[in-house]
């Protein structure tokens, strides 16, 4: 089971990483905070001080078309906010 799926690279997440040394990741739905901490420390070689997790609910949408009402939803996922120790950083753009 891979714990880390991908980092979240948005304008809000980038500003949070620059100002507060806090990074965001999409993680496995069954991963707990201890597993997330160990995965980030081993993958990026930093020391993690705090991990916060959020279960993101699916968005449901419906629209009216010629053939009737079409409904759909996005997938639910789990997001982790990882606080890194002072003076350390994660370079998310090195693997691109």
């Amino acid at each position: 089971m891979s714990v880390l799926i991908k980092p979240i690279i948005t304008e809000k997440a980038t500003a949070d990483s620059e100002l507060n040394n806090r990074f965001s990741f999409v993680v496995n739905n069954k991963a707990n905070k201890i597993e997330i901490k160990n995965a980030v420390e081993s993958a990026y070689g930093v020391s993690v001080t705090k991990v916060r997790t959020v279960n993101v609910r699916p968005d449901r949408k419906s629209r009216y078309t010629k053939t009737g009402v079409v409904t759909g939803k996005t997938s639910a996922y789990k997001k982790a906010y990882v606080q890194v120790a002072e003076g350390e950083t994660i370079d998310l753009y090195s693997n691109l």
Side-chain angles (χ1 to χ4, degrees), residues 28-39:
N28 192 329
N29 287 336
K30 297 187 188 240
N32 58 26
K33 292 182 181 184
I34 298 169
E35 293 171 345
I36 295 168
K37 178 181 176 180
N38 292 335

Side-chain angles (χ1 to χ4, degrees), residues 11-64:
E11 190 173 346
K12 185 175 180 180
T14 305
D16 200 26
S17 66
E18 291 172 355
L19 296 175
N20 300 323
N21 226 13
R22 191 179 305 136
F23 298 89
S24 305
F25 295 94
V26 176
V27 295
N28 192 329
N29 287 336
K30 297 187 188 240
N32 58 26
K33 292 182 181 184
I34 298 169
E35 293 171 345
I36 295 168
K37 178 181 176 180
N38 292 335
V40 170
E41 286 178 346
S42 65
Y44 295 103
V46 294
S47 59
V48 174
T49 58
K50 187 184 225 180
V51 176
R52 294 182 298 158
T53 59
V54 176
N55 285 317
V56 179
R57 63 176 172 76
D59 287 334
R60 300 182 190 280
K61 294 181 181 178
S62 63
R63 66 177 180 260
Y64 300 98

Side-chain angles (χ1 to χ4, degrees), residues 3 6 29 31 47 49 52 55 58 69 73 75 79:
V3 177
K6 64 179 180 177
N29 287 336
S47 59
T49 58
R52 294 182 298 158
N55 285 317
V69 178
K73 70 180 183 89
S75 317
K79 190 190 300 187

